[in-house]
Amino acid sequence: MAEKLSAVKGMNDIAPPASAHWEWLEDILRTLMRRYGYRNLRTPIVEPTALFVRGLGEVTDIVEKEMYSFEDRLNGEQLTLRPENTAGVVRAALEHSLLYDGGKRLYYMGPMFRHERPQRGRYRQFHQFGAEALGFAGPDVDAELIVLACDLWAALGLTGIELEINSLGQPTERLAHRQALIAYLEAHVDQLDEEARRRLHSNPLRILDTKNPAMQDLVNAAPRLMDHLGAASLDHFNRLRSLLDAHGVSYRINPRLVRGMDYYNLSVFEFVTTQLGSQGTVCAGGRYDGLFEQIGGKAAPAVGWALGMERILELLKEQGLLPEQPAPDAYAVVPDAARVPQVMPVLRQLRQQGVNVQMHAGGADGMGSMKSQFKKADASGARFALIFGEQELEQGAVALKALRGPRLEAVAEAQSLLPLNAVADWAARLRGA
Ligand code: ATP
Ligand code: MG
């Protein structure tokens, strides 16, 4: 036998029954985006490596150690499986002049790739849903995006998700803070881990984002960026705060919140929960007014967030909120294989009328016993069985049997025999039952 192959470590198949939960979540997300006027953008999964190096910044976890980068063997191009999609959205917006007639509200969903240590809530292929508002200077759209996320938690029934916000100000303000931060960290250099020492002069702000528990006290006492912000940045932040207040959205200001990419400025935020262990950030984002220029385009303000779909689904599971598996309306029981050519077109008519019907599939040697067919019908979760028995078919009809849920009378009037030539009529009632 050939050697068994399995999926790449940290990359998962999503099969039934779990895939139904994904589809359910995706539907809710799409509906919500329509409500807020966000439209779908689909970009390639592979992008030029330079997009992420320039967009996210060279001294970031993603670019330093998490990207799946490779050379195209045929033409030598340097390519990367997208580790995130904000840079791709901005590239596409520039490439197609999407902002020619004003700002655009966009959303995406799909797989992202980061070479991380796989664990609960952290995978090498994972899925993000992201919302981006391009060409708007805020802070109204900043607030809109945050409120939209809160609406999502409510639509899903999720509780216990807390909002943290901060302002990263503008690059010039960060420069002043940077001096103070370097001086502070130099004074405590003995407490820095190897990574922090390496970043001390290249990207000290990133040190505040460390996940090393031994450094938490140190970074908690570090000089605050907030104390270096000018009037305009503070005003933007305060207006965002009052908008959140006006919505009754509660939040905590976390002066240490700096986010993992260099492209952020002004508003940054994260939605966190304590119910997922150490992978507690379910949604994160912020403003990135400098990104358009950084990847070679005309400057445009922008803000957005991305949520980790695996983490949201895990939290839904944790809170017992995952929906039941979808079931067909009806399951067709066909005792005699010779009747299949007559039955299949009837089922097709039903489906064309909007009824979800599953037909019992036979084997090479027939349809199987009635008992086994009814077992399958029951296991399918269908509310009705349609029995295409010999006697019924002789009368030009099909028998209806309620398996669960509503009473039979809702569908068939006096008897449970449905005439085949009135499919449309009883389809409407099957659907509505
Ligand atoms: P973390 O601090 O957990 O590494 P991050 O700051 O790198 O997260 P972002 O790049 O902001 O994450 O991505 C937004 C969201 O995508 C995260 O809040 C999280 O929910 C999800 N996410 C990020 N990386 C992974 C991963 N490797 N596996 C699963 N979900 C992830
Ligand atoms: Mg990360």
Side-chain angles (χ1 to χ4, degrees):
M1 246 206 302
E3 194 193 338
K4 210 164 92 189
L5 292 168
S6 39
V8 174
K9 183 177 174 194
M11 305 199 181
N12 301 306
D13 298 310
I14 301 168
S19 52
H21 300 146
W22 283 77
E23 291 187 312
W24 169 79
L25 174 60
E26 290 160 6
D27 285 348
I28 291 177
L29 282 162
R30 288 198 184 95
T31 305
L32 186 60
M33 294 326 279
R34 261 197 299 279
R35 205 142 287 160
Y36 276 83
Y38 286 66
R39 300 199 295 175
N40 188 218
L41 175 68
R42 304 176 189 213
T43 58
I45 284 170
V46 179
E47 293 277 3
T49 302
L51 174 65
F52 303 113
V53 176
R54 269 157 62 185
L56 278 53
E58 255 169 290
V59 191
T60 56
D61 280 352
I62 293 181
V63 173
E64 277 187 341
K65 52 192 184 195
E66 295 174 359
M67 292 205 302
Y68 283 91
S69 297
F70 56 98
E71 185 184 296
D72 184 323
R73 277 189 297 175
L74 299 179
N75 60 14
E77 273 184 274
Q78 295 301 318
L79 304 175
T80 294
L81 298 184
R82 62 184 189 192
E84 59 95 62
N85 203 30
T86 298
V89 166
V90 170
R91 179 204 47 71
L94 286 168
E95 202 164 328
H96 307 289
S97 306
L98 293 185
L99 303 190
Y100 81 98
D101 63 347
K104 287 282 173 299
R105 291 174 164 92
L106 301 169
Y107 77 86
Y108 61 81
M109 63 177 126
M112 307 294 158
F113 303 83
R114 297 183 193 178
H115 196 101
E116 304 198 67
R117 190 168 67 77
Q119 53 197 289
R120 183 187 186 201
R122 196 176 289 287
Y123 310 97
R124 289 181 176 172
Q125 175 175 326
F126 62 101
H127 297 76
Q128 283 186 340
F129 180 98
E132 316 278 1
L134 309 181
F136 304 102
D140 49 358
V141 279
D142 308 41
E144 174 181 280
L145 278 161
I146 290 174
V147 171
L148 194 165
C150 295
D151 281 0
L152 176 63
W153 316 144
L156 296 171
L158 287 170
T159 52
I161 297 178
E162 283 172 11
L163 171 63
E164 297 190 347
I165 63 171
N166 191 22
S167 177
L168 298 183
Q170 301 294 5
T172 46
E173 295 158 345
R174 288 212 288 278
L175 217 54
H177 169 252
R178 184 189 158 98
Q179 307 308 326
L181 184 59
I182 292 178
Y184 168 83
L185 293 171
E186 275 176 338
H188 299 88
V189 75
D190 52 310
Q191 294 174 50
L192 299 181
D193 62 16
E194 198 189 317
E195 185 178 77
R197 279 181 210 188
R198 199 158 35 78
R199 291 175 170 179
L200 181 52
H201 294 278
S202 57
N203 200 340
L205 195 63
R206 196 81 311 122
I207 298 174
L208 298 182
D209 192 37
T210 181
K211 303 221 164 48
N212 183 349
M215 285 174 52
Q216 298 307 311
D217 287 343
L218 180 71
V219 295
N220 277 334
R224 289 167 173 229
L225 181 50
M226 195 65 83
D227 299 330
H228 292 81
L229 299 191
S233 293
L234 285 173
D235 180 57
H236 195 280
F237 189 54
N238 289 331
R239 279 157 65 207
L240 169 61
R241 289 181 56 187
S242 14
L243 283 165
L244 294 178
D245 293 339
H247 285 88
V249 168
S250 51
Y251 55 84
R252 194 174 80 82
I253 297 173
N254 176 358
R256 279 201 42 219
L257 186 66
V258 295
R259 309 283 304 112
M261 291 73 136
D262 283 357
Y263 53 57
Y264 288 112
N265 69 315
L266 294 172
S267 326
V268 288
F269 49 88
E270 291 192 357
F271 287 93
V272 295
T273 170
T274 54
Q275 293 169 42
L276 292 178
S278 48
Q279 267 58 251
T281 305
V282 291
C283 175
R287 184 157 278 286
Y288 49 93
D289 297 334
L291 186 55
F292 277 75
E293 266 185 309
Q294 213 165 307
I295 65 173
K298 183 165 161 265
V303 56
W305 55 243
L307 62 82
M309 295 180 71
E310 282 85 355
R311 292 188 193 176
I312 295 295
L313 286 163
E314 184 72 21
L315 190 61
L316 285 161
K317 183 172 161 209
E318 201 66 38
Q319 299 187 7
L321 297 168
L322 289 174
E324 281 180 28
Q325 288 296 305
D329 297 314
Y331 190 98
V333 169
V334 191
D336 184 357
R339 291 294 193 171
V340 167
Q342 187 184 353
V343 170
M344 285 182 73
V346 175
L347 301 184
R348 186 184 186 198
Q349 264 183 287
L350 273 179
R351 296 181 185 119
Q352 286 166 344
Q353 300 288 331
V355 183
N356 299 324
V357 198
Q358 202 170 311
M359 188 184 82
H360 182 79
D365 52 355
M367 301 301 282
S369 70
M370 286 291 270
K371 193 173 164 215
S372 72
Q373 290 200 38
F374 271 110
K375 239 168 121 175
K376 281 263 163 49
D378 201 49
S380 76
R383 289 172 300 152
F384 301 103
L386 293 170
I387 306 147
F388 291 88
E390 281 310 303
Q391 280 185 351
E392 289 88 355
L393 287 171
E394 287 304 327
Q395 299 173 57
V398 55
L400 184 71
K401 181 174 188 277
L403 298 174
R404 52 174 58 74
R407 301 291 311 147
L408 204 52
E409 296 85 74
V411 180
E413 269 132 23
Q415 16 78 8
S416 56
L417 218 53
L418 307 170
L420 289 182
N421 60 12
V423 169
D425 183 45
W426 49 275
R429 283 184 264 165
L430 265 182
R431 266 197 330 262

